[in-house]
Amino acid sequence: MRVDKYLWCIRYYKTRNIATQACKKGAVRVNDAPVKPSRDVYPGDNVTVRKNQISYTLKVLDLPKSRLGAK
C-alpha cells in the first residue's frame, strides 16, 4: 500500500492530497529515509511523521483493507 494512502487510511491526515503534500515536503520518512508518496509500506516498517512540529513514530503492524472508522 502506498505511504500516502496508508496515512490517510489510519486517519493521520484528513485527505489523501494533504498526505501526498506532506510526503513531497519531506515530513514523512520510512525507516529513516525521506520518501515519495508512491513508496510502498509493509508490515514491520517504521514510519516517522512530522506534524504540527511534533514527530510521531508509527510501526506498521498490518495494512488496513479500507479506511478505519473515526472511533
Side-chain angles (χ1 to χ4, degrees):
M1 174 180 284
R2 293 170 53 114
V3 69
D4 60 340
K5 187 173 181 181
Y6 176 75
L7 292 171
W8 171 76
C9 279
I10 63 170
R11 293 189 176 265
Y12 249 80
Y13 290 103
K14 190 172 184 178
T15 65
R16 222 173 125 185
N17 190 24
I18 296 171
T20 301
Q21 289 173 357
C23 291
K24 288 180 180 177
K25 289 180 183 177
V28 178
R29 296 173 159 261
V30 175
N31 298 328
D32 294 326
V35 295
K36 293 181 178 179
S38 61
R39 161 74 153 74
D40 285 336
V41 291
Y42 302 101
D45 284 346
N46 290 320
V47 180
T48 304
V49 179
R50 182 147 175 89
K51 185 176 174 187
N52 298 332
Q53 299 178 352
I54 300 172
S55 291
Y56 299 96
T57 302
L58 313 168
K59 181 162 177 128
V60 179
L61 300 177
D62 196 14
L63 300 176
K65 292 184 174 92
S66 62
R67 193 164 192 216
L68 299 178
K71 291 183 180 182

